[in-house]
Short mmCIF file of all heavy atoms in Angstrom, two decimals:
data_model
loop_
_atom_site.label_atom_id
_atom_site.label_comp_id
_atom_site.label_asym_id
_atom_site.label_seq_id
_atom_site.Cartn_x
_atom_site.Cartn_y
_atom_site.Cartn_z
N PHE A 1 -14.96 -21.68 -2.74
CA PHE A 1 -13.70 -21.62 -2.03
C PHE A 1 -13.90 -21.29 -0.56
O PHE A 1 -13.17 -21.79 0.27
CB PHE A 1 -12.78 -20.59 -2.66
CG PHE A 1 -12.26 -21.00 -4.01
CD1 PHE A 1 -12.74 -20.40 -5.17
CD2 PHE A 1 -11.32 -21.99 -4.13
CE1 PHE A 1 -12.27 -20.78 -6.40
CE2 PHE A 1 -10.84 -22.39 -5.35
CZ PHE A 1 -11.32 -21.78 -6.50
N ALA A 2 -14.87 -20.49 -0.26
CA ALA A 2 -15.11 -20.11 1.14
C ALA A 2 -15.45 -21.34 1.97
O ALA A 2 -15.02 -21.46 3.11
CB ALA A 2 -16.22 -19.07 1.23
N ARG A 3 -16.21 -22.26 1.41
CA ARG A 3 -16.58 -23.48 2.16
C ARG A 3 -15.38 -24.37 2.40
O ARG A 3 -15.34 -25.12 3.37
CB ARG A 3 -17.66 -24.25 1.41
CG ARG A 3 -19.01 -23.60 1.47
CD ARG A 3 -20.08 -24.51 0.93
NE ARG A 3 -19.71 -24.98 -0.40
CZ ARG A 3 -20.50 -24.98 -1.44
NH1 ARG A 3 -21.73 -24.54 -1.35
NH2 ARG A 3 -20.08 -25.41 -2.61
N ALA A 4 -14.38 -24.30 1.52
CA ALA A 4 -13.20 -25.16 1.66
C ALA A 4 -12.26 -24.68 2.76
O ALA A 4 -11.45 -25.46 3.27
CB ALA A 4 -12.44 -25.23 0.34
N LEU A 5 -12.37 -23.41 3.14
CA LEU A 5 -11.50 -22.86 4.18
C LEU A 5 -12.03 -23.21 5.57
O LEU A 5 -13.23 -23.23 5.80
CB LEU A 5 -11.43 -21.34 4.07
CG LEU A 5 -10.70 -20.75 2.87
CD1 LEU A 5 -10.87 -19.23 2.87
CD2 LEU A 5 -9.24 -21.13 2.89
N THR A 6 -11.12 -23.45 6.49
CA THR A 6 -11.50 -23.61 7.88
C THR A 6 -11.45 -22.23 8.53
O THR A 6 -10.91 -21.28 7.96
CB THR A 6 -10.54 -24.56 8.62
OG1 THR A 6 -9.22 -24.04 8.52
CG2 THR A 6 -10.59 -25.96 8.02
N ALA A 7 -12.00 -22.11 9.71
CA ALA A 7 -11.98 -20.82 10.42
C ALA A 7 -10.55 -20.32 10.53
O ALA A 7 -9.65 -21.06 10.90
CB ALA A 7 -12.60 -20.96 11.79
N GLY A 8 -10.33 -19.07 10.16
CA GLY A 8 -9.00 -18.48 10.18
C GLY A 8 -8.21 -18.74 8.91
O GLY A 8 -7.10 -18.23 8.76
N GLY A 9 -8.79 -19.53 7.97
CA GLY A 9 -8.11 -19.84 6.71
C GLY A 9 -7.98 -18.60 5.85
O GLY A 9 -8.85 -17.73 5.84
N VAL A 10 -6.88 -18.52 5.11
CA VAL A 10 -6.57 -17.35 4.28
C VAL A 10 -6.61 -17.75 2.81
O VAL A 10 -6.12 -18.80 2.42
CB VAL A 10 -5.17 -16.80 4.63
CG1 VAL A 10 -4.81 -15.63 3.75
CG2 VAL A 10 -5.11 -16.41 6.10
N TRP A 11 -7.19 -16.85 2.00
CA TRP A 11 -7.29 -17.08 0.57
C TRP A 11 -6.72 -15.87 -0.15
O TRP A 11 -7.14 -14.74 0.09
CB TRP A 11 -8.75 -17.31 0.17
CG TRP A 11 -8.98 -17.60 -1.28
CD1 TRP A 11 -8.11 -18.17 -2.16
CD2 TRP A 11 -10.16 -17.33 -2.02
NE1 TRP A 11 -8.67 -18.27 -3.39
CE2 TRP A 11 -9.94 -17.77 -3.34
CE3 TRP A 11 -11.39 -16.77 -1.70
CZ2 TRP A 11 -10.90 -17.66 -4.33
CZ3 TRP A 11 -12.34 -16.67 -2.68
CH2 TRP A 11 -12.10 -17.12 -3.98
N TYR A 12 -5.75 -16.11 -1.04
CA TYR A 12 -5.20 -15.06 -1.91
C TYR A 12 -5.75 -15.30 -3.30
O TYR A 12 -5.79 -16.43 -3.78
CB TYR A 12 -3.68 -15.11 -1.94
CG TYR A 12 -3.10 -14.30 -3.08
CD1 TYR A 12 -2.98 -12.92 -2.98
CD2 TYR A 12 -2.71 -14.92 -4.26
CE1 TYR A 12 -2.47 -12.17 -4.03
CE2 TYR A 12 -2.21 -14.18 -5.32
CZ TYR A 12 -2.10 -12.81 -5.20
OH TYR A 12 -1.60 -12.08 -6.24
N LEU A 13 -6.17 -14.22 -3.97
CA LEU A 13 -6.58 -14.36 -5.36
C LEU A 13 -6.12 -13.16 -6.16
O LEU A 13 -5.88 -12.08 -5.62
CB LEU A 13 -8.10 -14.52 -5.49
CG LEU A 13 -8.95 -13.33 -5.11
CD1 LEU A 13 -9.77 -12.91 -6.31
CD2 LEU A 13 -9.87 -13.72 -3.97
N SER A 14 -5.96 -13.37 -7.46
CA SER A 14 -5.53 -12.32 -8.37
C SER A 14 -6.29 -12.51 -9.68
O SER A 14 -6.28 -13.59 -10.26
CB SER A 14 -4.02 -12.43 -8.62
OG SER A 14 -3.58 -11.39 -9.47
N MET A 15 -6.97 -11.44 -10.10
CA MET A 15 -7.75 -11.47 -11.33
C MET A 15 -7.46 -10.22 -12.14
O MET A 15 -7.16 -9.16 -11.57
CB MET A 15 -9.24 -11.56 -11.01
CG MET A 15 -9.62 -12.81 -10.24
SD MET A 15 -11.36 -12.83 -9.75
CE MET A 15 -12.13 -13.14 -11.35
N LYS A 16 -7.57 -10.33 -13.46
CA LYS A 16 -7.30 -9.18 -14.31
C LYS A 16 -8.34 -8.09 -14.06
O LYS A 16 -9.53 -8.36 -13.94
CB LYS A 16 -7.32 -9.58 -15.78
CG LYS A 16 -6.85 -8.45 -16.70
CD LYS A 16 -6.91 -8.84 -18.15
CE LYS A 16 -5.61 -9.49 -18.55
NZ LYS A 16 -5.55 -9.68 -20.03
N GLN A 17 -7.87 -6.86 -13.97
CA GLN A 17 -8.75 -5.73 -13.73
C GLN A 17 -9.50 -5.36 -15.02
O GLN A 17 -8.92 -5.35 -16.10
CB GLN A 17 -7.95 -4.52 -13.26
CG GLN A 17 -8.82 -3.32 -12.94
CD GLN A 17 -8.00 -2.08 -12.66
OE1 GLN A 17 -6.96 -1.86 -13.27
NE2 GLN A 17 -8.47 -1.28 -11.72
N GLY A 18 -10.78 -5.09 -14.88
CA GLY A 18 -11.59 -4.67 -16.01
C GLY A 18 -13.06 -4.91 -15.74
O GLY A 18 -13.46 -5.24 -14.62
N ASP A 19 -13.87 -4.77 -16.78
CA ASP A 19 -15.30 -4.96 -16.61
C ASP A 19 -15.90 -5.74 -17.79
O ASP A 19 -17.03 -5.51 -18.18
CB ASP A 19 -16.02 -3.62 -16.42
CG ASP A 19 -15.79 -2.68 -17.59
OD1 ASP A 19 -15.15 -3.08 -18.58
OD2 ASP A 19 -16.26 -1.53 -17.51
N THR A 20 -15.11 -6.65 -18.34
CA THR A 20 -15.59 -7.42 -19.48
C THR A 20 -15.46 -8.92 -19.24
O THR A 20 -14.70 -9.36 -18.39
CB THR A 20 -14.79 -7.07 -20.76
OG1 THR A 20 -13.41 -7.41 -20.54
CG2 THR A 20 -14.90 -5.60 -21.11
N THR A 21 -16.23 -9.66 -20.01
CA THR A 21 -16.09 -11.11 -20.10
C THR A 21 -15.78 -11.39 -21.56
O THR A 21 -16.45 -10.88 -22.45
CB THR A 21 -17.37 -11.83 -19.68
OG1 THR A 21 -17.61 -11.53 -18.30
CG2 THR A 21 -17.24 -13.34 -19.84
N ARG A 22 -14.73 -12.15 -21.81
CA ARG A 22 -14.30 -12.39 -23.19
C ARG A 22 -13.90 -13.84 -23.39
O ARG A 22 -13.65 -14.56 -22.41
CB ARG A 22 -13.15 -11.46 -23.54
CG ARG A 22 -11.97 -11.60 -22.63
CD ARG A 22 -11.04 -10.39 -22.72
NE ARG A 22 -10.34 -10.15 -21.48
CZ ARG A 22 -9.47 -10.98 -20.92
NH1 ARG A 22 -9.18 -12.11 -21.47
NH2 ARG A 22 -8.90 -10.67 -19.78
N GLN A 23 -13.88 -14.26 -24.64
CA GLN A 23 -13.47 -15.61 -24.98
C GLN A 23 -12.22 -15.55 -25.83
O GLN A 23 -12.10 -14.69 -26.70
CB GLN A 23 -14.58 -16.33 -25.72
CG GLN A 23 -15.80 -16.51 -24.84
CD GLN A 23 -16.48 -17.83 -25.06
OE1 GLN A 23 -16.18 -18.55 -25.98
NE2 GLN A 23 -17.42 -18.15 -24.19
N LEU A 24 -11.30 -16.45 -25.55
CA LEU A 24 -10.05 -16.52 -26.29
C LEU A 24 -9.64 -17.98 -26.38
O LEU A 24 -9.48 -18.64 -25.33
CB LEU A 24 -8.97 -15.68 -25.58
CG LEU A 24 -7.59 -15.66 -26.21
CD1 LEU A 24 -7.64 -15.00 -27.59
CD2 LEU A 24 -6.61 -14.93 -25.32
N ASP A 25 -9.49 -18.47 -27.57
CA ASP A 25 -9.07 -19.86 -27.79
C ASP A 25 -9.95 -20.86 -27.04
O ASP A 25 -9.45 -21.82 -26.45
CB ASP A 25 -7.61 -20.05 -27.40
CG ASP A 25 -6.66 -19.20 -28.23
OD1 ASP A 25 -6.96 -18.99 -29.42
OD2 ASP A 25 -5.62 -18.76 -27.69
N GLY A 26 -11.26 -20.61 -27.03
CA GLY A 26 -12.20 -21.53 -26.39
C GLY A 26 -12.28 -21.41 -24.88
O GLY A 26 -12.98 -22.18 -24.23
N ARG A 27 -11.59 -20.45 -24.30
CA ARG A 27 -11.64 -20.24 -22.85
C ARG A 27 -12.35 -18.93 -22.55
O ARG A 27 -12.26 -17.99 -23.33
CB ARG A 27 -10.23 -20.21 -22.25
CG ARG A 27 -9.46 -21.48 -22.52
CD ARG A 27 -8.09 -21.53 -21.91
NE ARG A 27 -7.45 -20.23 -21.74
CZ ARG A 27 -6.26 -20.06 -21.19
NH1 ARG A 27 -5.56 -21.08 -20.75
NH2 ARG A 27 -5.73 -18.86 -21.07
N THR A 28 -13.04 -18.88 -21.42
CA THR A 28 -13.76 -17.67 -21.02
C THR A 28 -13.00 -16.99 -19.89
O THR A 28 -12.58 -17.63 -18.93
CB THR A 28 -15.18 -18.02 -20.54
OG1 THR A 28 -15.87 -18.67 -21.60
CG2 THR A 28 -15.95 -16.77 -20.13
N PHE A 29 -12.83 -15.66 -20.03
CA PHE A 29 -12.14 -14.86 -19.03
C PHE A 29 -13.09 -13.77 -18.54
O PHE A 29 -13.76 -13.11 -19.34
CB PHE A 29 -10.90 -14.20 -19.64
CG PHE A 29 -9.87 -15.18 -20.10
CD1 PHE A 29 -9.89 -15.68 -21.39
CD2 PHE A 29 -8.86 -15.59 -19.24
CE1 PHE A 29 -8.93 -16.58 -21.82
CE2 PHE A 29 -7.90 -16.50 -19.65
CZ PHE A 29 -7.94 -17.00 -20.96
N THR A 30 -13.15 -13.59 -17.23
CA THR A 30 -13.97 -12.54 -16.64
C THR A 30 -13.07 -11.59 -15.88
O THR A 30 -12.38 -12.01 -14.94
CB THR A 30 -15.03 -13.14 -15.70
OG1 THR A 30 -15.85 -14.05 -16.45
CG2 THR A 30 -15.90 -12.06 -15.08
N ASP A 31 -13.03 -10.35 -16.30
CA ASP A 31 -12.25 -9.32 -15.62
C ASP A 31 -13.11 -8.70 -14.52
O ASP A 31 -14.34 -8.75 -14.59
CB ASP A 31 -11.81 -8.24 -16.60
CG ASP A 31 -11.01 -8.82 -17.77
OD1 ASP A 31 -10.39 -9.88 -17.61
OD2 ASP A 31 -11.00 -8.19 -18.84
N VAL A 32 -12.47 -8.16 -13.49
CA VAL A 32 -13.21 -7.64 -12.34
C VAL A 32 -12.66 -6.28 -11.90
O VAL A 32 -11.54 -5.92 -12.20
CB VAL A 32 -13.13 -8.61 -11.14
CG1 VAL A 32 -13.80 -9.93 -11.44
CG2 VAL A 32 -11.69 -8.83 -10.71
N THR A 33 -13.49 -5.58 -11.14
CA THR A 33 -13.06 -4.34 -10.49
C THR A 33 -12.77 -4.65 -9.02
O THR A 33 -13.17 -5.71 -8.50
CB THR A 33 -14.14 -3.26 -10.57
OG1 THR A 33 -15.28 -3.70 -9.82
CG2 THR A 33 -14.55 -2.97 -12.02
N GLU A 34 -12.13 -3.72 -8.36
CA GLU A 34 -11.86 -3.89 -6.93
C GLU A 34 -13.17 -4.03 -6.15
O GLU A 34 -13.28 -4.85 -5.24
CB GLU A 34 -11.07 -2.71 -6.39
CG GLU A 34 -9.67 -2.61 -6.96
CD GLU A 34 -9.04 -1.27 -6.67
OE1 GLU A 34 -8.40 -1.13 -5.61
OE2 GLU A 34 -9.21 -0.36 -7.52
N THR A 35 -14.16 -3.25 -6.51
CA THR A 35 -15.46 -3.30 -5.83
C THR A 35 -16.12 -4.66 -6.02
O THR A 35 -16.68 -5.23 -5.08
CB THR A 35 -16.38 -2.18 -6.36
OG1 THR A 35 -15.75 -0.92 -6.11
CG2 THR A 35 -17.74 -2.21 -5.69
N GLU A 36 -16.06 -5.19 -7.25
CA GLU A 36 -16.66 -6.51 -7.50
C GLU A 36 -16.00 -7.60 -6.67
O GLU A 36 -16.67 -8.46 -6.11
CB GLU A 36 -16.56 -6.87 -8.98
CG GLU A 36 -17.49 -6.10 -9.87
CD GLU A 36 -17.26 -6.41 -11.33
OE1 GLU A 36 -16.10 -6.40 -11.79
OE2 GLU A 36 -18.27 -6.65 -12.02
N VAL A 37 -14.68 -7.56 -6.58
CA VAL A 37 -13.96 -8.56 -5.79
C VAL A 37 -14.38 -8.46 -4.32
O VAL A 37 -14.70 -9.46 -3.67
CB VAL A 37 -12.43 -8.41 -5.93
CG1 VAL A 37 -11.70 -9.23 -4.90
CG2 VAL A 37 -12.00 -8.80 -7.33
N ARG A 38 -14.40 -7.24 -3.79
CA ARG A 38 -14.82 -7.05 -2.40
C ARG A 38 -16.23 -7.59 -2.17
O ARG A 38 -16.49 -8.33 -1.22
CB ARG A 38 -14.74 -5.58 -2.00
CG ARG A 38 -15.18 -5.31 -0.56
CD ARG A 38 -15.01 -3.86 -0.18
NE ARG A 38 -13.62 -3.43 -0.24
CZ ARG A 38 -12.70 -3.71 0.68
NH1 ARG A 38 -13.01 -4.41 1.75
NH2 ARG A 38 -11.46 -3.26 0.55
N ASN A 39 -17.15 -7.23 -3.06
CA ASN A 39 -18.55 -7.66 -2.91
C ASN A 39 -18.68 -9.18 -2.99
O ASN A 39 -19.43 -9.79 -2.21
CB ASN A 39 -19.43 -7.01 -3.97
CG ASN A 39 -19.59 -5.51 -3.75
OD1 ASN A 39 -19.32 -5.00 -2.67
ND2 ASN A 39 -20.02 -4.81 -4.78
N LEU A 40 -17.97 -9.82 -3.91
CA LEU A 40 -18.03 -11.28 -4.04
C LEU A 40 -17.48 -11.98 -2.79
O LEU A 40 -18.08 -12.94 -2.30
CB LEU A 40 -17.25 -11.74 -5.27
CG LEU A 40 -17.88 -11.42 -6.62
CD1 LEU A 40 -16.88 -11.65 -7.75
CD2 LEU A 40 -19.13 -12.27 -6.82
N LEU A 41 -16.35 -11.49 -2.30
CA LEU A 41 -15.75 -12.12 -1.12
C LEU A 41 -16.64 -11.94 0.10
O LEU A 41 -16.87 -12.90 0.86
CB LEU A 41 -14.36 -11.54 -0.87
CG LEU A 41 -13.30 -11.89 -1.92
CD1 LEU A 41 -12.03 -11.08 -1.68
CD2 LEU A 41 -13.02 -13.38 -1.95
N GLU A 42 -17.15 -10.73 0.30
CA GLU A 42 -18.01 -10.49 1.46
C GLU A 42 -19.32 -11.27 1.36
O GLU A 42 -19.82 -11.79 2.36
CB GLU A 42 -18.26 -8.99 1.61
CG GLU A 42 -17.02 -8.25 2.08
CD GLU A 42 -17.19 -6.74 2.15
OE1 GLU A 42 -18.20 -6.22 1.63
OE2 GLU A 42 -16.29 -6.09 2.73
N ALA A 43 -19.87 -11.39 0.15
CA ALA A 43 -21.11 -12.16 -0.04
C ALA A 43 -20.88 -13.64 0.24
O ALA A 43 -21.82 -14.37 0.59
CB ALA A 43 -21.63 -11.97 -1.46
N SER A 44 -19.63 -14.09 0.14
CA SER A 44 -19.29 -15.48 0.43
C SER A 44 -19.03 -15.70 1.92
O SER A 44 -18.67 -16.80 2.33
CB SER A 44 -18.05 -15.90 -0.36
OG SER A 44 -18.31 -15.85 -1.73
N GLY A 45 -19.14 -14.63 2.70
CA GLY A 45 -18.92 -14.75 4.14
C GLY A 45 -17.48 -14.59 4.58
O GLY A 45 -17.14 -14.91 5.71
N LEU A 46 -16.64 -14.09 3.69
CA LEU A 46 -15.24 -13.90 4.03
C LEU A 46 -14.98 -12.46 4.45
O LEU A 46 -15.65 -11.54 3.99
CB LEU A 46 -14.35 -14.26 2.83
CG LEU A 46 -14.44 -15.70 2.35
CD1 LEU A 46 -13.66 -15.88 1.05
CD2 LEU A 46 -13.92 -16.66 3.42
N ASP A 47 -13.99 -12.27 5.31
CA ASP A 47 -13.54 -10.93 5.69
C ASP A 47 -12.43 -10.52 4.74
O ASP A 47 -11.47 -11.27 4.54
CB ASP A 47 -13.01 -10.92 7.12
CG ASP A 47 -14.08 -11.19 8.16
OD1 ASP A 47 -15.26 -10.91 7.88
OD2 ASP A 47 -13.73 -11.69 9.25
N VAL A 48 -12.56 -9.36 4.13
CA VAL A 48 -11.53 -8.87 3.22
C VAL A 48 -10.43 -8.20 4.04
O VAL A 48 -10.67 -7.22 4.73
CB VAL A 48 -12.13 -7.89 2.19
CG1 VAL A 48 -11.04 -7.34 1.29
CG2 VAL A 48 -13.21 -8.59 1.37
N HIS A 49 -9.25 -8.76 3.97
CA HIS A 49 -8.10 -8.22 4.70
C HIS A 49 -7.44 -7.09 3.91
O HIS A 49 -7.07 -6.06 4.47
CB HIS A 49 -7.09 -9.33 4.99
CG HIS A 49 -5.84 -8.85 5.66
ND1 HIS A 49 -5.83 -8.43 6.96
CD2 HIS A 49 -4.58 -8.71 5.20
CE1 HIS A 49 -4.61 -8.05 7.28
NE2 HIS A 49 -3.83 -8.21 6.23
N ASP A 50 -7.29 -7.29 2.59
CA ASP A 50 -6.63 -6.28 1.77
C ASP A 50 -6.98 -6.50 0.30
O ASP A 50 -7.17 -7.65 -0.13
CB ASP A 50 -5.12 -6.37 1.95
CG ASP A 50 -4.38 -5.13 1.48
OD1 ASP A 50 -5.03 -4.12 1.16
OD2 ASP A 50 -3.13 -5.17 1.45
N ILE A 51 -7.05 -5.41 -0.46
CA ILE A 51 -7.20 -5.45 -1.91
C ILE A 51 -6.25 -4.40 -2.47
O ILE A 51 -6.19 -3.27 -1.98
CB ILE A 51 -8.65 -5.13 -2.35
CG1 ILE A 51 -9.60 -6.23 -1.87
CG2 ILE A 51 -8.73 -5.00 -3.88
CD1 ILE A 51 -11.06 -5.99 -2.24
N TRP A 52 -5.48 -4.80 -3.50
CA TRP A 52 -4.54 -3.87 -4.12
C TRP A 52 -4.37 -4.21 -5.59
O TRP A 52 -4.72 -5.29 -6.03
CB TRP A 52 -3.21 -3.87 -3.38
CG TRP A 52 -2.40 -5.12 -3.54
CD1 TRP A 52 -1.34 -5.31 -4.39
CD2 TRP A 52 -2.56 -6.36 -2.83
NE1 TRP A 52 -0.83 -6.58 -4.25
CE2 TRP A 52 -1.57 -7.25 -3.30
CE3 TRP A 52 -3.43 -6.81 -1.84
CZ2 TRP A 52 -1.43 -8.55 -2.83
CZ3 TRP A 52 -3.30 -8.11 -1.39
CH2 TRP A 52 -2.31 -8.96 -1.86
N LEU A 53 -3.83 -3.25 -6.33
CA LEU A 53 -3.59 -3.42 -7.76
C LEU A 53 -2.10 -3.59 -8.02
O LEU A 53 -1.27 -2.99 -7.34
CB LEU A 53 -4.08 -2.20 -8.53
CG LEU A 53 -5.57 -1.87 -8.42
CD1 LEU A 53 -5.87 -0.58 -9.19
CD2 LEU A 53 -6.41 -3.01 -8.95
N THR A 54 -1.77 -4.43 -9.02
CA THR A 54 -0.39 -4.58 -9.45
C THR A 54 -0.34 -4.55 -10.97
O THR A 54 -1.30 -4.95 -11.64
CB THR A 54 0.24 -5.90 -8.96
OG1 THR A 54 -0.58 -7.00 -9.36
CG2 THR A 54 0.39 -5.91 -7.45
N ALA A 55 0.77 -4.09 -11.49
CA ALA A 55 0.99 -4.08 -12.93
C ALA A 55 1.51 -5.45 -13.37
O ALA A 55 2.19 -6.14 -12.61
CB ALA A 55 2.00 -3.00 -13.30
N ASP A 56 1.17 -5.83 -14.59
CA ASP A 56 1.67 -7.08 -15.16
C ASP A 56 3.17 -6.93 -15.39
O ASP A 56 3.64 -5.93 -15.92
CB ASP A 56 0.95 -7.35 -16.49
CG ASP A 56 1.03 -8.80 -16.90
OD1 ASP A 56 2.10 -9.42 -16.73
OD2 ASP A 56 0.02 -9.34 -17.39
N VAL A 57 3.95 -7.93 -14.99
CA VAL A 57 5.40 -7.84 -15.12
C VAL A 57 5.90 -8.55 -16.38
O VAL A 57 7.10 -8.51 -16.68
CB VAL A 57 6.12 -8.42 -13.87
CG1 VAL A 57 5.78 -7.59 -12.64
CG2 VAL A 57 5.77 -9.88 -13.67
N ARG A 58 5.01 -9.19 -17.13
CA ARG A 58 5.44 -9.87 -18.35
C ARG A 58 5.80 -8.84 -19.42
O ARG A 58 5.12 -7.84 -19.58
CB ARG A 58 4.34 -10.81 -18.87
CG ARG A 58 4.02 -11.93 -17.87
CD ARG A 58 2.84 -12.75 -18.32
NE ARG A 58 1.61 -11.95 -18.22
CZ ARG A 58 0.42 -12.39 -18.58
NH1 ARG A 58 0.28 -13.61 -19.07
NH2 ARG A 58 -0.65 -11.61 -18.45
N PRO A 59 6.88 -9.09 -20.16
CA PRO A 59 7.31 -8.15 -21.19
C PRO A 59 6.18 -7.90 -22.22
O PRO A 59 5.51 -8.84 -22.66
CB PRO A 59 8.50 -8.85 -21.86
CG PRO A 59 8.98 -9.82 -20.83
CD PRO A 59 7.77 -10.24 -20.05
N GLY A 60 6.00 -6.64 -22.57
CA GLY A 60 5.02 -6.28 -23.58
C GLY A 60 3.58 -6.25 -23.11
O GLY A 60 2.67 -6.03 -23.89
N ARG A 61 3.34 -6.48 -21.83
CA ARG A 61 1.97 -6.50 -21.29
C ARG A 61 1.75 -5.26 -20.44
O ARG A 61 2.61 -4.87 -19.66
CB ARG A 61 1.73 -7.75 -20.44
CG ARG A 61 1.93 -9.08 -21.15
CD ARG A 61 0.91 -9.31 -22.25
NE ARG A 61 -0.41 -9.56 -21.76
CZ ARG A 61 -0.95 -10.76 -21.60
NH1 ARG A 61 -0.27 -11.83 -21.89
NH2 ARG A 61 -2.18 -10.87 -21.16
N GLU A 62 0.58 -4.66 -20.58
CA GLU A 62 0.25 -3.48 -19.79
C GLU A 62 -1.01 -3.70 -18.96
O GLU A 62 -1.70 -2.75 -18.59
CB GLU A 62 0.08 -2.27 -20.71
CG GLU A 62 1.38 -1.91 -21.40
CD GLU A 62 1.27 -0.65 -22.24
OE1 GLU A 62 0.31 0.11 -22.06
OE2 GLU A 62 2.17 -0.46 -23.08
N ASP A 63 -1.31 -4.97 -18.68
CA ASP A 63 -2.49 -5.30 -17.90
C ASP A 63 -2.29 -4.94 -16.43
O ASP A 63 -1.17 -4.84 -15.94
CB ASP A 63 -2.81 -6.80 -17.99
CG ASP A 63 -3.02 -7.25 -19.43
OD1 ASP A 63 -3.75 -6.55 -20.16
OD2 ASP A 63 -2.47 -8.29 -19.81
N CYS A 64 -3.41 -4.75 -15.75
CA CYS A 64 -3.39 -4.49 -14.32
C CYS A 64 -4.17 -5.63 -13.64
O CYS A 64 -5.14 -6.14 -14.19
CB CYS A 64 -4.05 -3.15 -14.03
SG CYS A 64 -3.78 -2.58 -12.35
N TRP A 65 -3.75 -6.03 -12.46
CA TRP A 65 -4.35 -7.15 -11.74
C TRP A 65 -4.91 -6.68 -10.40
O TRP A 65 -4.29 -5.90 -9.70
CB TRP A 65 -3.31 -8.25 -11.53
CG TRP A 65 -2.83 -8.80 -12.83
CD1 TRP A 65 -1.83 -8.30 -13.61
CD2 TRP A 65 -3.38 -9.90 -13.54
NE1 TRP A 65 -1.71 -9.05 -14.75
CE2 TRP A 65 -2.64 -10.04 -14.74
CE3 TRP A 65 -4.40 -10.80 -13.28
CZ2 TRP A 65 -2.91 -11.02 -15.67
CZ3 TRP A 65 -4.68 -11.78 -14.21
CH2 TRP A 65 -3.93 -11.89 -15.39
N VAL A 66 -6.08 -7.21 -10.06
CA VAL A 66 -6.70 -6.97 -8.76
C VAL A 66 -6.32 -8.14 -7.87
O VAL A 66 -6.62 -9.29 -8.19
CB VAL A 66 -8.25 -6.87 -8.87
CG1 VAL A 66 -8.85 -6.66 -7.49
CG2 VAL A 66 -8.65 -5.76 -9.83
N ASN A 67 -5.64 -7.86 -6.78
CA ASN A 67 -5.21 -8.88 -5.82
C ASN A 67 -5.99 -8.71 -4.53
O ASN A 67 -6.31 -7.58 -4.15
CB ASN A 67 -3.73 -8.69 -5.52
CG ASN A 67 -2.88 -8.69 -6.76
OD1 ASN A 67 -2.50 -9.72 -7.26
ND2 ASN A 67 -2.58 -7.50 -7.27
N ALA A 68 -6.26 -9.81 -3.87
CA ALA A 68 -7.01 -9.72 -2.61
C ALA A 68 -6.57 -10.83 -1.67
O ALA A 68 -6.18 -11.93 -2.09
CB ALA A 68 -8.50 -9.83 -2.87
N ILE A 69 -6.64 -10.51 -0.39
CA ILE A 69 -6.48 -11.51 0.67
C ILE A 69 -7.75 -11.48 1.50
O ILE A 69 -8.17 -10.42 1.98
CB ILE A 69 -5.25 -11.20 1.55
CG1 ILE A 69 -3.97 -11.31 0.70
CG2 ILE A 69 -5.21 -12.15 2.75
CD1 ILE A 69 -2.72 -10.95 1.44
N ALA A 70 -8.35 -12.65 1.65
CA ALA A 70 -9.58 -12.78 2.43
C ALA A 70 -9.37 -13.86 3.49
O ALA A 70 -8.60 -14.80 3.30
CB ALA A 70 -10.75 -13.15 1.53
N ILE A 71 -10.07 -13.70 4.60
CA ILE A 71 -9.93 -14.61 5.73
C ILE A 71 -11.33 -15.09 6.14
O ILE A 71 -12.27 -14.31 6.23
CB ILE A 71 -9.25 -13.93 6.92
CG1 ILE A 71 -7.87 -13.41 6.49
CG2 ILE A 71 -9.14 -14.88 8.12
CD1 ILE A 71 -7.19 -12.53 7.50
N LYS A 72 -11.42 -16.41 6.38
CA LYS A 72 -12.69 -16.95 6.86
C LYS A 72 -12.76 -16.73 8.37
O LYS A 72 -11.88 -17.14 9.11
CB LYS A 72 -12.81 -18.43 6.55
CG LYS A 72 -14.17 -19.00 6.91
CD LYS A 72 -14.36 -20.37 6.34
CE LYS A 72 -15.77 -20.85 6.59
NZ LYS A 72 -16.01 -22.13 5.90
N PRO A 73 -13.83 -16.05 8.83
CA PRO A 73 -13.93 -15.79 10.27
C PRO A 73 -14.12 -17.07 11.08
O PRO A 73 -14.50 -18.08 10.58
CB PRO A 73 -15.16 -14.90 10.39
CG PRO A 73 -15.77 -14.78 9.05
CD PRO A 73 -14.91 -15.52 8.07
#
């Protein structure tokens, strides 16, 4: 994704918070921590503008999400 951005391009991402990789119905899900997201974005050459957590708003769900905004210098 970093290569697809032009200079000054902004990327928003949201991933489930956690430290596991799991399979469900033939699909693979990788949960992340705030530190992992920061490290991945910075290793890709992006500047991390902000990282924050949000609660899942779907009824009956208690998941937490790691959100980030990164900018290509």
